[in-house]
Amino acid sequence: MNDAVPLLKVKNLSVHFPVEKGILFRKTIGWLKAVDDVSFEIWPGESVGLVGESGCGKSTTALAIARLQSVKKGKILFQGKNLLALPNSELYAARQNFQMVFQDPYSSLDPRMTAFECIAEPLRIQVKHGRISASEKEIGSRVFELMDKVGLSRQFAYRYPHEFSGGQRQRIGIARALALSPKLVIADEPVSALDVSIQSQILNLMKDLQHEFGLTYLFIAHNLAVVSYFSDRIIVMYLGTIVEISSAGELYREPLHPYTKALLSAVPIPDPPRERARSRILLRGDVPSPIDARPGCPFVDRCPEVMDICAEKRPHLSAVAGPDHEVACHLYQAVEDVS
């Protein structure tokens, strides 16, 4: 990655939802901090995995980056431009370069549109608004080309979504995401709704497409085994915050944050003797409420290695194991915190 600037830079991103009460007169009584002060970078050609438990803010982060979710504060710099500051005309033009693949391949497709129409829709929208120039014949050629690339027979072009299997529907979703030749694809749990046998096919397809088209991925999942196979770097989220960032290989060899260690201990090992011999890290307690969170580390109530300072001061991401391995934990910041 020789590029001077990252393709995507998320800086201090926060997404808060108001908590209201009342029937006739609604009153805001607090804020649910779905994403709280999140920062990371993605470089051209990378596959970056974003992992964590359900409800940790992964999908909200993805929707905010795609500008499908309003943002409380922060910056989303795509190719050096802050997407949050762009007027609508420029934002719509910029959307050509970042697209999403959604979790549920059925609900993400219009049941009244054929596969051909689903894939052609982004092209027709851009033509309608004068952002690209293409005839219907050229659009058709592009659709059939994409169907070939994702492994769908052209004879299925005029079938409706309910006539396809889950894996085939996700192939349609991937083809639609690639219609405008984007630079960044945000894949939000793209294989979690599919059978295990189909998951590997879709993952391999996405990797092949990355090599062919030079794609950059933000890959969101809760399955660390899937993420480690697919990603170059991994970002671990907990309760709306980032707790660790590392290369995939190093994260598996030497996880630092207690939460990351607990997640990895739950990943099955395909070796029965080793699987039986290892011990699972069981986290006690419940995930705290993200509504008006307390000061201190968000993991303080469940951490097996908690210290007094954890309840008083929130740790910040710092490179404690090399420039490419960051962790937000007082275990590795004790000297700095005391001083």
Side-chain angles (χ1 to χ4, degrees):
M1 297 162 208
N2 298 320
D3 302 75
V5 295
L7 179 66
L8 176 72
K9 184 174 183 179
V10 177
K11 189 173 182 180
N12 306 120
L13 179 68
S14 295
V15 180
H16 299 173
F17 298 102
V19 178
E20 300 177 333
K21 75 172 185 177
I23 300 176
L24 294 178
F25 302 98
R26 306 292 293 173
K27 180 180 179 181
T28 299
I29 60 172
W31 293 90
L32 189 153
K33 299 181 178 180
V35 178
D36 193 24
D37 201 29
V38 162
S39 299
F40 61 89
E41 298 175 348
I42 300 178
W43 295 83
E46 265 195 316
S47 294
V48 174
L50 184 59
V51 302
E53 293 173 297
S54 296
C56 73
K58 306 185 301 295
S59 294
T60 304
T61 300
L63 293 173
I65 293 171
R67 298 298 288 115
L68 299 175
Q69 172 63 57
S70 59
V71 172
K72 177 76 172 178
K73 64 176 182 178
K75 292 182 178 180
I76 302 171
L77 301 172
F78 183 76
Q79 294 184 304
K81 295 183 178 179
N82 185 6
L83 297 180
L84 300 177
L86 291 180
N88 285 341
S89 58
E90 293 185 36
L91 176 61
Y92 295 150
R95 283 187 189 277
Q96 297 179 49
N97 289 315
F98 57 91
Q99 296 290 313
M100 282 196 72
V101 176
F102 295 93
Q103 177 177 1
D104 186 345
Y106 185 71
S107 63
S108 66
L109 301 176
D110 190 330
R112 297 167 298 181
M113 297 173 68
T114 64
F116 182 97
E117 292 169 329
C118 287
I119 300 171
E121 185 181 27
L123 293 162
R124 287 172 172 162
I125 290 174
Q126 295 295 327
V127 169
K128 178 181 178 181
H129 290 88
R131 299 189 188 99
I132 63 173
S133 176
S135 65
E136 273 298 313
K137 182 178 180 180
E138 291 171 327
I139 290 175
S141 297
R142 176 64 172 164
V143 170
F144 288 127
E145 176 192 358
L146 288 168
M147 291 187 70
D148 292 339
K149 295 293 185 184
V150 300
L152 283 173
S153 173
R154 296 188 180 194
Q155 66 182 3
F156 297 158
Y158 300 102
R159 292 186 180 182
Y160 290 88
H162 71 273
E163 299 179 272
F164 292 96
S165 67
Q168 289 173 325
R169 285 194 286 262
Q170 196 60 289
R171 291 173 189 269
I172 297 172
I174 293 170
R176 179 180 60 183
L178 297 181
L180 297 172
S181 302
K183 292 180 172 62
L184 173 68
V185 174
I186 304 169
D188 185 10
E189 305 254 15
V191 297
S192 63
L194 307 178
D195 293 339
V196 174
S197 60
I198 305 300
Q199 289 183 11
S200 61
Q201 296 179 22
I202 297 299
L203 291 174
N204 289 329
L205 169 65
M206 293 177 68
K207 287 176 78 75
D208 291 341
L209 293 171
Q210 180 180 30
H211 295 146
E212 183 171 354
F213 296 111
L215 299 173
T216 301
Y217 285 119
L218 175 59
F219 185 86
I220 298 167
H222 60 269
N223 187 331
L224 271 167
V226 169
V227 172
S228 67
Y229 169 75
F230 190 82
S231 306
D232 302 312
R233 287 191 301 128
I234 296 177
I235 301 171
V236 183
M237 285 190 73
Y238 179 79
L239 205 66
T241 65
I242 293 177
V243 297
E244 191 163 358
I245 303 176
S246 173
S247 65
E250 186 171 350
L251 192 78
Y252 269 75
R253 287 192 305 270
E254 191 177 358
L256 298 179
H257 199 282
Y259 177 65
T260 308
K261 294 176 182 178
L263 284 181
L264 288 173
S265 76
V267 177
I269 299 175
D271 183 346
R274 287 178 58 202
E275 176 68 20
R276 287 192 297 267
R278 72 169 183 159
S279 58
R280 170 87 183 273
I281 299 175
L282 298 176
L283 297 177
R284 302 185 182 278
D286 298 322
V287 178
S289 171
I291 300 175
D292 292 330
R294 301 169 298 174
C297 177
F299 193 54
V300 64
D301 293 326
R302 305 175 72 196
C303 182
E305 304 180 59
V306 65
M307 302 181 294
D308 291 340
I309 194 174
C310 299
E312 302 167 4
K313 183 177 179 181
R314 174 166 293 199
H316 56 271
L317 270 176
S318 59
V320 297
D324 298 324
H325 195 162
E326 299 177 87
V327 63
C329 181
H330 287 302
L331 288 170
Y332 308 95
Q333 299 171 4
V335 175
E336 178 184 342
D337 291 332
V338 170
S339 59

PDB file of all heavy atoms in Angstrom, residues 189-206:
ATOM      1  N   GLU A 189     -22.073  -8.177   7.459  1.00  0.00           N
ATOM      2  CA  GLU A 189     -22.433  -9.577   7.733  1.00  0.00           C
ATOM      3  C   GLU A 189     -22.926 -10.272   6.460  1.00  0.00           C
ATOM      4  O   GLU A 189     -24.025 -10.842   6.424  1.00  0.00           O
ATOM      5  CB  GLU A 189     -23.516  -9.644   8.820  1.00  0.00           C
ATOM      6  CG  GLU A 189     -23.160  -8.941  10.107  1.00  0.00           C
ATOM      7  CD  GLU A 189     -22.814  -9.889  11.234  1.00  0.00           C
ATOM      8  OE1 GLU A 189     -22.570 -11.072  10.946  1.00  0.00           O
ATOM      9  OE2 GLU A 189     -22.784  -9.439  12.379  1.00  0.00           O
ATOM     10  N   PRO A 190     -22.156 -10.281   5.383  1.00  0.00           N
ATOM     11  CA  PRO A 190     -22.664 -10.762   4.093  1.00  0.00           C
ATOM     12  C   PRO A 190     -22.899 -12.258   4.016  1.00  0.00           C
ATOM     13  O   PRO A 190     -23.558 -12.721   3.079  1.00  0.00           O
ATOM     14  CB  PRO A 190     -21.561 -10.339   3.114  1.00  0.00           C
ATOM     15  CG  PRO A 190     -20.313 -10.324   3.933  1.00  0.00           C
ATOM     16  CD  PRO A 190     -20.751  -9.843   5.288  1.00  0.00           C
ATOM     17  N   VAL A 191     -22.360 -13.043   4.964  1.00  0.00           N
ATOM     18  CA  VAL A 191     -22.530 -14.497   4.876  1.00  0.00           C
ATOM     19  C   VAL A 191     -23.241 -15.081   6.088  1.00  0.00           C
ATOM     20  O   VAL A 191     -23.469 -16.291   6.150  1.00  0.00           O
ATOM     21  CB  VAL A 191     -21.165 -15.207   4.698  1.00  0.00           C
ATOM     22  CG1 VAL A 191     -20.511 -14.793   3.392  1.00  0.00           C
ATOM     23  CG2 VAL A 191     -20.233 -14.930   5.868  1.00  0.00           C
ATOM     24  N   SER A 192     -23.628 -14.251   7.058  1.00  0.00           N
ATOM     25  CA  SER A 192     -24.198 -14.788   8.295  1.00  0.00           C
ATOM     26  C   SER A 192     -25.562 -15.433   8.090  1.00  0.00           C
ATOM     27  O   SER A 192     -25.970 -16.295   8.867  1.00  0.00           O
ATOM     28  CB  SER A 192     -24.308 -13.685   9.356  1.00  0.00           C
ATOM     29  OG  SER A 192     -25.193 -12.670   8.928  1.00  0.00           O
ATOM     30  N   ALA A 193     -26.285 -15.035   7.038  1.00  0.00           N
ATOM     31  CA  ALA A 193     -27.608 -15.600   6.774  1.00  0.00           C
ATOM     32  C   ALA A 193     -27.553 -16.802   5.834  1.00  0.00           C
ATOM     33  O   ALA A 193     -28.591 -17.325   5.445  1.00  0.00           O
ATOM     34  CB  ALA A 193     -28.531 -14.522   6.195  1.00  0.00           C
ATOM     35  N   LEU A 194     -26.349 -17.252   5.482  1.00  0.00           N
ATOM     36  CA  LEU A 194     -26.192 -18.323   4.506  1.00  0.00           C
ATOM     37  C   LEU A 194     -25.737 -19.616   5.172  1.00  0.00           C
ATOM     38  O   LEU A 194     -25.150 -19.604   6.252  1.00  0.00           O
ATOM     39  CB  LEU A 194     -25.164 -17.918   3.437  1.00  0.00           C
ATOM     40  CG  LEU A 194     -25.399 -16.586   2.725  1.00  0.00           C
ATOM     41  CD1 LEU A 194     -24.267 -16.313   1.744  1.00  0.00           C
ATOM     42  CD2 LEU A 194     -26.741 -16.581   2.009  1.00  0.00           C
ATOM     43  N   ASP A 195     -26.001 -20.741   4.504  1.00  0.00           N
ATOM     44  CA  ASP A 195     -25.502 -22.028   4.976  1.00  0.00           C
ATOM     45  C   ASP A 195     -23.978 -22.024   4.987  1.00  0.00           C
ATOM     46  O   ASP A 195     -23.335 -21.334   4.183  1.00  0.00           O
ATOM     47  CB  ASP A 195     -26.000 -23.159   4.073  1.00  0.00           C
ATOM     48  CG  ASP A 195     -27.508 -23.355   4.167  1.00  0.00           C
ATOM     49  OD1 ASP A 195     -28.096 -22.914   5.171  1.00  0.00           O
ATOM     50  OD2 ASP A 195     -28.084 -23.921   3.227  1.00  0.00           O
ATOM     51  N   VAL A 196     -23.400 -22.833   5.873  1.00  0.00           N
ATOM     52  CA  VAL A 196     -21.943 -22.869   6.009  1.00  0.00           C
ATOM     53  C   VAL A 196     -21.282 -23.242   4.686  1.00  0.00           C
ATOM     54  O   VAL A 196     -20.238 -22.686   4.311  1.00  0.00           O
ATOM     55  CB  VAL A 196     -21.535 -23.853   7.121  1.00  0.00           C
ATOM     56  CG1 VAL A 196     -20.015 -24.004   7.181  1.00  0.00           C
ATOM     57  CG2 VAL A 196     -22.068 -23.383   8.462  1.00  0.00           C
ATOM     58  N   SER A 197     -21.867 -24.177   3.960  1.00  0.00           N
ATOM     59  CA  SER A 197     -21.279 -24.616   2.694  1.00  0.00           C
ATOM     60  C   SER A 197     -21.267 -23.497   1.664  1.00  0.00           C
ATOM     61  O   SER A 197     -20.398 -23.446   0.789  1.00  0.00           O
ATOM     62  CB  SER A 197     -22.046 -25.819   2.141  1.00  0.00           C
ATOM     63  OG  SER A 197     -23.412 -25.487   1.923  1.00  0.00           O
ATOM     64  N   ILE A 198     -22.232 -22.592   1.751  1.00  0.00           N
ATOM     65  CA  ILE A 198     -22.323 -21.481   0.804  1.00  0.00           C
ATOM     66  C   ILE A 198     -21.436 -20.321   1.250  1.00  0.00           C
ATOM     67  O   ILE A 198     -20.940 -19.560   0.415  1.00  0.00           O
ATOM     68  CB  ILE A 198     -23.783 -21.008   0.664  1.00  0.00           C
ATOM     69  CG1 ILE A 198     -24.684 -22.188   0.265  1.00  0.00           C
ATOM     70  CG2 ILE A 198     -23.900 -19.901  -0.371  1.00  0.00           C
ATOM     71  CD1 ILE A 198     -24.303 -22.834  -1.043  1.00  0.00           C
ATOM     72  N   GLN A 199     -21.220 -20.189   2.552  1.00  0.00           N
ATOM     73  CA  GLN A 199     -20.410 -19.085   3.059  1.00  0.00           C
ATOM     74  C   GLN A 199     -19.028 -19.049   2.421  1.00  0.00           C
ATOM     75  O   GLN A 199     -18.545 -17.995   1.994  1.00  0.00           O
ATOM     76  CB  GLN A 199     -20.275 -19.186   4.584  1.00  0.00           C
ATOM     77  CG  GLN A 199     -21.546 -18.868   5.348  1.00  0.00           C
ATOM     78  CD  GLN A 199     -21.334 -18.914   6.851  1.00  0.00           C
ATOM     79  OE1 GLN A 199     -20.211 -18.990   7.336  1.00  0.00           O
ATOM     80  NE2 GLN A 199     -22.429 -18.868   7.604  1.00  0.00           N
ATOM     81  N   SER A 200     -18.380 -20.202   2.356  1.00  0.00           N
ATOM     82  CA  SER A 200     -17.029 -20.237   1.798  1.00  0.00           C
ATOM     83  C   SER A 200     -17.031 -19.845   0.323  1.00  0.00           C
ATOM     84  O   SER A 200     -16.095 -19.190  -0.161  1.00  0.00           O
ATOM     85  CB  SER A 200     -16.415 -21.632   1.979  1.00  0.00           C
ATOM     86  OG  SER A 200     -17.187 -22.606   1.302  1.00  0.00           O
ATOM     87  N   GLN A 201     -18.077 -20.226  -0.411  1.00  0.00           N
ATOM     88  CA  GLN A 201     -18.161 -19.851  -1.822  1.00  0.00           C
ATOM     89  C   GLN A 201     -18.253 -18.335  -1.983  1.00  0.00           C
ATOM     90  O   GLN A 201     -17.580 -17.751  -2.839  1.00  0.00           O
ATOM     91  CB  GLN A 201     -19.379 -20.511  -2.473  1.00  0.00           C
ATOM     92  CG  GLN A 201     -19.324 -22.027  -2.517  1.00  0.00           C
ATOM     93  CD  GLN A 201     -20.574 -22.620  -3.145  1.00  0.00           C
ATOM     94  OE1 GLN A 201     -21.288 -21.952  -3.886  1.00  0.00           O
ATOM     95  NE2 GLN A 201     -20.855 -23.883  -2.855  1.00  0.00           N
ATOM     96  N   ILE A 202     -19.075 -17.691  -1.156  1.00  0.00           N
ATOM     97  CA  ILE A 202     -19.247 -16.244  -1.249  1.00  0.00           C
ATOM     98  C   ILE A 202     -17.968 -15.524  -0.820  1.00  0.00           C
ATOM     99  O   ILE A 202     -17.545 -14.542  -1.451  1.00  0.00           O
ATOM    100  CB  ILE A 202     -20.441 -15.785  -0.389  1.00  0.00           C
ATOM    101  CG1 ILE A 202     -21.748 -16.412  -0.905  1.00  0.00           C
ATOM    102  CG2 ILE A 202     -20.542 -14.267  -0.387  1.00  0.00           C
ATOM    103  CD1 ILE A 202     -22.101 -16.048  -2.329  1.00  0.00           C
ATOM    104  N   LEU A 203     -17.317 -16.003   0.229  1.00  0.00           N
ATOM    105  CA  LEU A 203     -16.067 -15.383   0.683  1.00  0.00           C
ATOM    106  C   LEU A 203     -14.984 -15.491  -0.388  1.00  0.00           C
ATOM    107  O   LEU A 203     -14.260 -14.525  -0.654  1.00  0.00           O
ATOM    108  CB  LEU A 203     -15.601 -16.028   1.984  1.00  0.00           C
ATOM    109  CG  LEU A 203     -16.458 -15.754   3.229  1.00  0.00           C
ATOM    110  CD1 LEU A 203     -15.962 -16.580   4.399  1.00  0.00           C
ATOM    111  CD2 LEU A 203     -16.446 -14.275   3.581  1.00  0.00           C
ATOM    112  N   ASN A 204     -14.862 -16.670  -0.987  1.00  0.00           N
ATOM    113  CA  ASN A 204     -13.869 -16.847  -2.044  1.00  0.00           C
ATOM    114  C   ASN A 204     -14.189 -15.981  -3.260  1.00  0.00           C
ATOM    115  O   ASN A 204     -13.284 -15.435  -3.906  1.00  0.00           O
ATOM    116  CB  ASN A 204     -13.786 -18.315  -2.453  1.00  0.00           C
ATOM    117  CG  ASN A 204     -13.129 -19.178  -1.391  1.00  0.00           C
ATOM    118  OD1 ASN A 204     -12.267 -18.713  -0.649  1.00  0.00           O
ATOM    119  ND2 ASN A 204     -13.527 -20.434  -1.302  1.00  0.00           N
ATOM    120  N   LEU A 205     -15.479 -15.845  -3.571  1.00  0.00           N
ATOM    121  CA  LEU A 205     -15.888 -14.983  -4.672  1.00  0.00           C
ATOM    122  C   LEU A 205     -15.478 -13.537  -4.395  1.00  0.00           C
ATOM    123  O   LEU A 205     -14.920 -12.857  -5.269  1.00  0.00           O
ATOM    124  CB  LEU A 205     -17.409 -15.066  -4.865  1.00  0.00           C
ATOM    125  CG  LEU A 205     -18.021 -14.033  -5.811  1.00  0.00           C
ATOM    126  CD1 LEU A 205     -17.516 -14.238  -7.234  1.00  0.00           C
ATOM    127  CD2 LEU A 205     -19.550 -14.087  -5.762  1.00  0.00           C
ATOM    128  N   MET A 206     -15.723 -13.071  -3.165  1.00  0.00           N
ATOM    129  CA  MET A 206     -15.388 -11.687  -2.815  1.00  0.00           C
ATOM    130  C   MET A 206     -13.882 -11.447  -2.864  1.00  0.00           C
ATOM    131  O   MET A 206     -13.430 -10.384  -3.296  1.00  0.00           O
ATOM    132  CB  MET A 206     -15.959 -11.349  -1.438  1.00  0.00           C
ATOM    133  CG  MET A 206     -17.483 -11.306  -1.406  1.00  0.00           C
ATOM    134  SD  MET A 206     -18.162 -10.977   0.249  1.00  0.00           S
ATOM    135  CE  MET A 206     -17.649  -9.285   0.493  1.00  0.00           C
TER     136      MET A 206
END
